[in-house]
Amino acid sequence: MADHVQVSTATQTREQAVALARSAVAGRLAAGAQIVGPVASVFWHEGELGTSEEWQLLLKTRTDRYAELEAHLLAEHPWSNPEVTAVPITAGSETYLGWVSATVGSGEID
């Protein structure tokens, strides 16, 4: 199993994405986050095909902290059923991944 994951979600506004990123990083649930957008989204919602512009949020964390990060995103997200997914980081620079591990730490704020 990979030691690190990239977690993604999306929001309706840039401000919502920034707020989620700040709270996750401040809580040491993620080492860092990037916000990309707006992006075009096409999806099924309540039986209808929809399209919208969204802001994608990408967060980096350790695999063992994923459950806490997911719970935080679900609790703080403005949508009732947001996308929260994770993909393993199977390779990366040793110094970057070391920084992610050290920054996320045990979850206790220094």
Side-chain angles (χ1 to χ4, degrees), residues 20-109:
L20 281 175
R22 286 186 61 81
S23 63
V25 173
R28 301 280 182 139
L29 299 172
Q34 288 82 37
I35 298 164
V36 182
V39 296
S41 183
V42 180
F43 51 87
W44 283 100
H45 181 68
E46 297 180 355
E48 294 186 18
L49 185 62
T51 59
S52 70
E53 285 192 342
E54 298 176 349
W55 293 80
Q56 186 176 36
L57 175 58
L58 304 171
L59 304 111
K60 298 354 175 256
T61 193
R62 286 195 331 246
T63 303
D64 65 338
R65 298 300 304 279
Y66 171 77
E68 293 170 272
L69 177 56
E70 177 189 290
H72 174 78
L73 293 172
L74 292 174
E76 299 298 320
H77 204 289
W79 296 343
S80 61
N81 185 27
E83 165 199 358
V84 178
T85 59
V87 294
I89 298 173
T90 58
S93 92
E94 185 176 329
T95 54
Y96 175 76
L97 295 177
W99 170 80
V100 170
S101 290
T103 301
V104 172
S106 67
E108 296 181 17
I109 297 175

